Amino acid sequence: MSSRDATVDAYETDAAAYAVNGAFMPDSVRRDIEDLVARLGRGARVLEVGSGGGRDARLMEHLGLRVRRTDITPAFVTLLREQGHDADVIDPLRDDLGSPDGAYDAVWANASLLHVARTDLPTVMARLAEVTRSGGFLRMSVKEGDGEGWSTHGSISNPRHFTYWRADPLREVVAGAGWNDVEITSQVDSRAGQPWLEVLAVRA
Ligand SMILES: C[S@@+](CC[C@H](N)C(=O)[O-])C[C@H]1O[C@@H](n2cnc3c(N)ncnc32)[C@H](O)[C@@H]1O
């Protein structure tokens, strides 16, 4: 089985537990959402990649954005639909990301593209740029570090595959895929001590 499929299977098995435990909103994520709302204004349309249990979409909608919820893991999409939301099973590497309503104003991908293989991230970044309007925003976060590896932690009992990134090569990938003004900041998750890279970029 590929690392992509094994990771999706791991989430599929424990999606409900992840949704419960992942409901805690870190301050850094809240700040990034508030910043996005301030940049976009109410009513803007956001494509969310990896909605998981739906925590971030709930706050974005509460603050006036319109969110298209998507996830590669079918069990998360089932949970989101049970909460009464539209949601789609989408692999950002392979599936159509477009919308009949036109280009999105922003893409939000919190802690999801860290599961994309390093060699596939340029393609995913370019595909996300294609469906975002000029001047629209990208907000994403990945784990900071070297190499890649399998990890079993938190509410997901089977191993998941992670690709770790350093700021310079990540900036090169994002900037090479149709995004300008790439800003990358490093944040340490105060609960787990995990360093994260948070990316903000503007569609060229
Ligand atoms: C750590 S969870 C984060 C969920 C949510 N964004 C949050 O912050 O709580 C990782 C998410 O990435 C999704 N995912 C797994 N493999 C992926 C891949 N290859 N491409 C995109 N998303 C993936 C999972 O289904 C899951 O929703």
Side-chain angles (χ1 to χ4, degrees), residues 80-113:
L80 294 166
R81 289 178 181 161
E82 284 169 1
Q83 293 166 15
H85 303 294
D86 288 337
D88 298 301
V89 177
I90 286 189
D91 177 348
L93 179 64
R94 299 174 186 171
D95 297 327
D96 183 7
L97 296 164
S99 148
D101 298 329
Y104 303 99
D105 297 300
V107 172
W108 176 265
N110 189 68
S112 54
L113 300 179

Side-chain angles (χ1 to χ4, degrees), residues 11 18 50-52 55-56 71-73 76 92 110-112 115-116:
Y11 282 111
Y18 184 91
S51 297
R55 176 199 69 199
D56 297 353
D71 207 292
I72 196 171
T73 303
F76 280 131
N110 189 68
S112 54
H115 294 307
V116 172

